[in-house]
Amino acid sequence: MHLMRIGAPGAEKPVARIDDERYVDLSDLVPDFDEAFFGSGGIERIRPVVTERASAGQVSRFAGERVGAPIARPHQILYIGLNYRDHAAESGMPVPDEPILFTKSPNTLVGPYDDVRIPRGSTNPDWEVELGIVIGRRTSYLDSVADARAAIAGYVVVNDVSERAFQLERGGQWAKGKSAETFNPAGPWLATADELDDVLALDMWLDVNGIRRQSGNTKTMIFDPYFLVHHLSQFLVLEPGDLINTGTPPGVGMGLNPPVWLRPDDVMELGIEGLGAQRQRVVAPR
């Protein structure tokens, strides 16, 4: 299934996308795609309903509604840094022996077509297309990497918007450069895990103002999604609906020579095979 949330910010309704034109409304069954939904087996509960309603023609047509992030605000957003060898090289940093973990404020989550706002004092705002993992059940101390598959609800496209000066020049943790408002566009849909033949063979891309900046494939990850979920479960409890963003391929603005930074009125377009595409306009600080 492809799960989406459509409607105004704070008033999104949960739906299942059938195709680019049609969806099944699920708002009479579940309040939202949130921690309670994922933690109570919500995906399997709605699966037969979606099939039944689609077969019966009980569908609606998209009518230009805003598309929100496909999950409600999660308990936590976890990020893995330098998870592509060539991105580590362009950043001038060594390939990590273990996943680099940092957090991003959950209130950074916005829809895939919402504006991205540059924060006050910013000088080096940057882009990063990433594969996001959504956790499907409360998870800790997994016994094996294989066990991680059952803990994953699905996958999403995310844009890990970053402020590099805040991240690297202001001391402290990377969260400073990652947690400004609007810095985590996600969606347009969550593809349940069964929708992807091979999550380790997905093409990914990002353009800025029509210029291709990033091209990559999930097969070049250093630590794959199953390893990451198992690894993180040894250090913290993963809650249903948590989002893990898994790193970016090369081509970020920081890695260009000379560096290229986002400016107001720039347009980012990005996507991952099987997970749809995003488009954001960059706006000035408020």
Side-chain angles (χ1 to χ4, degrees), residues 118-122 166 285-286:
I118 295 174
R120 294 180 186 179
S122 170
F166 293 179
R286 62 183 176 86

Side-chain angles (χ1 to χ4, degrees), residues 6 10-11 22 43 54 59 64 73 84 86 91 106-107 122 133 153 161 166 185-186 189 205 221 229 239 247 258 278:
I6 59 175
R22 301 173 300 154
I43 287 179
V59 299
R73 182 182 297 185
Y84 289 72
D86 33 15
S91 301
N107 66 6
S122 170
I133 303 168
V161 186
F166 293 179
W189 58 74
W205 56 273
M221 282 183 175
V229 171
E239 299 287 357
Q278 303 183 357

Side-chain angles (χ1 to χ4, degrees), residues 17 31 40 42 45 49 70 85 89 143 162 183 225 238 254 264 273:
R17 173 186 176 273
S40 63
R45 189 168 68 251
V49 176
R85 291 184 183 276
D143 291 331
S162 307
F183 265 27
L238 302 172
M254 177 176 64
E273 180 182 357

Side-chain angles (χ1 to χ4, degrees), residues 2 23 31 41 51 61-62 87 93 103 106 112 117 139 150 162 164 178 180-181 186 202 211 220 226 243 245 258 261:
H2 294 155
Y23 65 87
T51 300
R61 291 192 171 272
F62 291 108
H87 173 55
M93 299 180 184
T103 62
R117 185 172 296 280
T139 301
S162 307
R164 301 301 189 187
K178 300 287 187 173
E181 60 179 331
L202 304 177
I211 300 172
T220 64
Y226 311 119
L243 179 61
N245 296 329
W261 308 118

Side-chain angles (χ1 to χ4, degrees), residues 65-231:
E65 302 94 338
R66 170 186 173 270
V67 178
I71 58 173
R73 182 182 297 185
H75 172 262
Q76 58 188 344
I77 299 178
L78 302 171
Y79 263 81
I80 306 300
L82 302 179
N83 196 27
Y84 289 72
R85 291 184 183 276
D86 33 15
H87 173 55
E90 74 172 351
S91 301
M93 299 180 184
V95 172
D97 295 325
E98 290 195 11
I100 295 173
L101 173 66
F102 59 94
T103 62
K104 196 163 195 171
S105 176
N107 66 6
T108 59
L109 193 69
V110 294
Y113 314 121
D114 291 343
D115 291 342
V116 164
R117 185 172 296 280
I118 295 174
R120 294 180 186 179
S122 170
T123 57
N124 301 348
D126 205 348
W127 58 81
E128 294 188 9
V129 60
E130 303 199 10
L131 174 72
I133 303 168
V134 177
I135 296 298
R137 60 177 174 84
R138 198 167 197 264
T139 301
S140 63
Y141 297 119
L142 290 172
D143 291 331
S144 70
V145 170
D147 291 339
R149 292 176 182 265
I152 295 173
Y155 301 92
V156 298
V157 182
V158 295
N159 187 355
D160 174 23
V161 186
S162 307
E163 212 305 324
R164 301 301 189 187
F166 293 179
Q167 177 187 357
L168 301 173
E169 300 172 15
R170 298 294 298 272
Q173 297 186 352
W174 284 7
K176 281 184 178 179
K178 300 287 187 173
S179 293
E181 60 179 331
T182 74
F183 265 27
N184 201 120
W189 58 74
L190 179 153
T192 53
D194 59 294
E195 288 286 346
L196 300 178
D197 292 334
D198 186 358
V199 73
L200 303 180
L202 304 177
D203 289 330
M204 51 204 308
W205 56 273
L206 183 145
D207 296 346
V208 180
N209 299 329
I211 300 172
R212 180 61 45 92
R213 293 299 190 184
Q214 290 188 273
S215 296
N217 189 287
T218 55
K219 67 184 177 183
T220 64
M221 282 183 175
I222 300 168
F223 307 108
D224 69 44
Y226 311 119
F227 180 94
L228 290 172
V229 171
H230 170 263
H231 181 80

